[in-house]
Amino acid sequence: MDWSDRIHWTKTQRERLVELGGDEVLDEWFCSTRERDKTFYLREKELASRGRRRLDTFRESVRRPVVCRLTEKLVDVLMGAGFVQVTTPTILSRQMLARMTIDDRHALFSQVFWLDKNRCLRPMLAPNLYDVSKSLMRLWSGPIRIFEVGSCFRKESQGSTHLNEFTMLNLVEWRLDPKERLAHLRDFAKLVMEAAGLPDFRLEREESVVYGDTMDVTWQGIEAASGAMGPHVLDDAWGIDSTWVGWGFGLERLAMMKEGAHHVKPYSRSLAYLDGVRLNLS
């Protein structure tokens, strides 16, 4: 049979195999629909059995999703490095968003979930961290290191690495020596990625719609975090004049990378998945 006559999975079959975490079988080809459908039945059965075993292990010993375990590990590591954890509101005012230059002419504006004309679900942690930082800099002397872990919301395209609701880890250090900014930026990326079990990362220059020139952490070609440093033009809206470095990490993406998966959705807040395993296994 000519190669061009060979048959691939149907769209429905492919979607089901992806749901069950069967990325390793997606490139299989067949000589007939009968062979394909018979193989699909076997692959689905095998993957469902694997999922049940993973759920049994989760119930008996693991008991916490990988994102929760990862969050706990990163919180401990950052606190050990002198960072202070803060928690801020999920609902953000239009005024706070505008101070990040995000108005109806901004590329990110159409991705915001608005609750009413003046309030939205935060698409990022940065505005609140700016506000908290300004207060702390009036109260504390010397370098200040803070971080937050929290949900953010954007009307993202539903690709393999995007979610409408996702968990960000943002960290920032203020009032450091200007000559140490790049070194600290690199050190904090290493601190987080090594704690996440992903030491073989890369640092790459990138352009951000909010911060302009930034540095990204990538792992096997996928963006894991975006970093920047200041003083920055955005600081003026908060009346801040200070050196700083900061990173924003997507924790579901880190979990996906850590687990060697190809899709982020199984590691998100979900009714359909638990710790990367599809619950509809029958």
Side-chain angles (χ1 to χ4, degrees):
M1 177 180 289
D2 187 85
W3 178 259
S4 62
D5 295 330
R6 304 198 70 171
I7 297 169
H8 197 28
W9 303 114
T10 67
K11 180 181 178 182
T12 301
Q13 288 171 340
R14 185 179 179 84
E15 289 174 350
R16 179 59 175 163
L17 294 172
V18 169
E19 284 180 353
L20 296 175
D23 296 272
E24 69 273 16
V25 302
L26 293 180
D27 292 331
E28 292 185 352
W29 293 82
F30 311 95
C31 295
S32 67
T33 56
R34 181 178 180 181
E35 178 192 8
R36 178 196 65 195
D37 294 345
K38 181 179 179 180
T39 304
F40 173 76
Y41 171 79
L42 294 174
R43 295 288 183 264
E44 183 183 32
K45 187 175 180 180
E46 292 166 357
L47 292 169
S49 295
R50 184 173 74 182
R52 290 188 183 93
R53 292 193 297 271
R54 287 181 59 189
L55 285 177
D56 287 344
T57 299
F58 181 81
R59 179 185 183 185
E60 294 301 321
S61 59
V62 180
R63 297 179 181 169
R64 298 189 71 203
V66 61
V67 171
C68 296
R69 304 194 307 270
L70 178 60
T71 299
E72 183 177 33
K73 178 68 177 294
L74 294 178
V75 167
D76 288 344
V77 166
L78 287 172
M79 289 174 61
F83 283 86
V84 173
Q85 185 172 10
V86 302
T87 57
T88 67
T90 304
I91 297 175
L92 194 67
S93 70
R94 178 185 288 266
Q95 181 183 19
M96 289 281 277
L97 200 59
R99 289 166 80 175
M100 296 293 295
T101 72
I102 300 173
D103 55 23
D104 55 7
R105 294 165 294 182
H106 194 281
L108 187 58
F109 190 83
S110 63
Q111 294 179 268
V112 176
F113 284 98
W114 290 98
L115 301 177
D116 54 41
K117 66 178 183 179
N118 291 316
R119 301 179 306 153
C120 66
L121 297 176
R122 62 185 179 191
M124 59 183 68
L125 301 181
N128 287 343
L129 289 181
Y130 261 123
D131 213 45
V132 171
S133 296
K134 180 180 179 180
S135 296
L136 291 178
M137 283 191 281
R138 289 197 298 263
L139 299 169
W140 293 347
S141 61
I144 298 172
R145 294 180 177 181
I146 66 172
F147 74 96
E148 180 171 16
V149 179
S151 291
C152 295
F153 305 83
R154 295 186 189 182
K155 297 176 183 178
E156 296 275 18
S157 58
Q158 292 296 293
S160 62
T161 60
H162 290 91
L163 297 165
N164 284 336
E165 179 180 359
F166 53 97
T167 310
M168 289 298 298
L169 161 63
N170 275 36
L171 62 90
V172 61
E173 180 184 31
W174 300 92
R175 293 178 175 159
L176 70 163
D177 186 324
K179 297 178 182 178
E180 296 179 346
R181 287 180 301 171
L182 188 56
H184 282 215
L185 197 66
R186 290 170 172 164
D187 288 345
F188 295 151
K190 182 179 179 181
L191 181 71
V192 172
M193 292 300 283
E194 289 190 347
L198 301 164
D200 52 336
F201 65 93
R202 295 175 60 88
L203 294 176
E204 300 178 0
R205 294 283 185 181
E206 192 53 73
E207 187 72 17
S208 164
V209 295
V210 176
Y211 285 100
D213 186 30
T214 62
M215 183 178 290
D216 283 358
V217 172
T218 63
W219 186 83
Q220 296 188 1
I222 302 173
E223 179 189 335
S226 183
M229 56 187 178
H232 192 280
V233 65
L234 290 176
D235 303 349
D236 294 343
W238 274 266
I240 292 175
D241 181 14
S242 173
T243 54
W244 62 270
V245 295
W247 283 108
F249 289 85
L251 294 192
E252 286 85 3
R253 285 195 191 182
L254 289 183
M256 175 190 73
M257 296 168 183
K258 180 178 176 62
E259 296 298 299
H262 297 83
H263 302 269
V264 72
K265 190 174 181 179
Y267 302 96
S268 66
R269 295 176 184 270
S270 177
L271 301 177
Y273 293 91
L274 178 58
D275 200 36
V277 180
R278 180 74 176 183
L279 295 177
N280 178 15
L281 294 174
S282 58

